[in-house]
Amino acid sequence: DAGITQSPRHKVTETGTPVTLRCHQTENHRYMYWYRQDPGHGLRLIHYSYGVKDTDKGEVSDGYSVSRSKTEDFLLTLESATSSQTSVYFCAISDPSDSYNEQFFGPGTRLTVL
Amino acid sequence: AQTVTQSQPEMSVQEAETVTLSCTYDTSENNYYLFWYKQPPSRQMILVIRQEAYKQQNATENRFSVNFQKAAKSFSLKISDSQLGDTAMYFCAFMTLASGTYKYIFGTGTRLKVLA
């Protein structure tokens, strides 16, 4: 299994509070991604990173920011959480050197915003 | 923009039977990759099978095979000899390198239940 961990695994917070989710990889993969999974929507890309300090927006980036100061860590921040951000969040990694172009996923973080 | 459509939100199959999950996609690119991922109740996403668009031969992995029809932009997954452990959500995904970025687009998923 690819070495990807997410923390925390579960979090309950209140509307208006800041929240930071962490993704950590030990594979030295160049690309890292944050997705949210909601019923009826599948996985939707929030932000992704193609290198240290190189990030770009996905299709549902409003209300989220990211940072990547080291190859192994990719942080997702909800500056002021809202109930619509209640979801399961997945981190994923991939690398151009992988001819299979496979994405490897972390275990997910269930976030509940009350 | 590329899109991926899974038109079957839920399906069920009897143990040992065969089931086919459908996936269609839309793209103007010629070189791309297609994937099927499995998400069991544990929530862990697991790659089931992948297909390169430039390969005409359909990919197979043990009991899992695909029917890739490039002209029709169709990529269905066939599960043979279904097992209880195949009960999961299945996601079809698409990736192209044309834009210079490695972004993956997922369908909305098909929830498969294997019945004993």
Side-chain angles (χ1 to χ4, degrees):
Chain A
D1 291 345
I4 311 170
T5 56
Q6 293 184 229
S7 58
R9 295 291 311 280
H10 302 272
K11 186 171 182 66
V12 179
T13 191
E14 294 187 349
T15 298
T17 59
V19 176
T20 295
L21 308 183
R22 179 181 184 239
C23 177
H24 179 78
Q25 61 145 329
T26 58
E27 306 297 319
N28 201 36
H29 278 30
R30 180 180 164 195
Y31 279 76
M32 298 185 76
Y33 309 79
W34 277 109
Y35 294 92
R36 60 178 289 173
Q37 182 180 7
D38 305 289
H41 291 278
L43 276 79
R44 292 181 291 174
L45 182 64
I46 304 171
H47 283 278
Y48 69 101
S49 169
Y50 48 95
V52 174
K53 297 186 179 178
D54 292 323
T55 65
D56 203 352
K57 296 178 180 180
E59 62 179 307
V60 290
S61 59
D62 287 348
Y64 302 94
S65 62
V66 291
S67 65
R68 191 172 179 196
S69 58
K70 298 185 292 184
T71 298
E72 57 266 35
D73 290 326
F74 192 34
L75 304 180
L76 176 70
T77 298
L78 292 65
E79 301 290 348
S80 178
T82 67
S83 58
S84 65
Q85 293 175 313
T86 291
S87 186
V88 178
Y89 292 85
F90 284 95
C91 175
I93 63 174
S94 70
D95 197 89
S97 65
D98 175 10
S99 60
Y100 286 98
N101 289 298
E102 180 179 352
Q103 266 195 324
F104 299 93
F105 286 83
T109 294
R110 181 176 293 279
L111 175 67
T112 302
V113 183
L114 302 176
Chain B
Q2 289 93 356
T3 58
V4 176
T5 301
Q6 294 179 250
S7 59
Q8 305 152 313
E10 294 184 353
M11 296 187 72
S12 62
V13 62
Q14 289 294 136
E15 196 175 8
E17 296 294 308
T18 296
V19 63
T20 299
L21 281 58
S22 66
C23 173
T24 58
Y25 58 95
D26 188 25
T27 184
S28 59
E29 303 300 331
N30 193 48
N31 188 22
Y32 48 88
Y33 299 83
L34 295 162
F35 308 85
W36 277 99
Y37 279 88
K38 170 185 178 181
Q39 186 183 43
S42 67
R43 274 201 329 234
Q44 182 65 51
M45 294 283 285
I46 304 163
L47 178 67
V48 174
I49 200 165
R50 66 186 285 277
Q51 174 84 40
E52 294 119 318
Y54 63 87
K55 288 188 176 179
Q56 292 184 337
Q57 186 173 6
N58 289 325
T60 62
E61 287 288 342
N62 301 313
R63 297 183 295 107
F64 299 88
S65 61
V66 298
N67 182 5
F68 173 50
Q69 299 184 6
K70 191 172 184 179
K73 297 180 182 176
S74 172
F75 183 60
S76 60
L77 174 69
K78 186 172 82 171
I79 306 175
S80 303
D81 186 25
S82 297
Q83 301 176 359
L84 296 178
D86 295 332
T87 291
M89 182 75 89
Y90 288 82
F91 292 99
C92 179
F94 167 97
M95 190 273 276
T96 178
L97 306 176
S99 62
T101 61
Y102 285 66
K103 288 202 291 187
Y104 298 72
I105 300 167
F106 287 80
T108 52
T110 296
R111 186 176 299 279
L112 176 67
K113 187 170 185 178
V114 180
L115 307 172

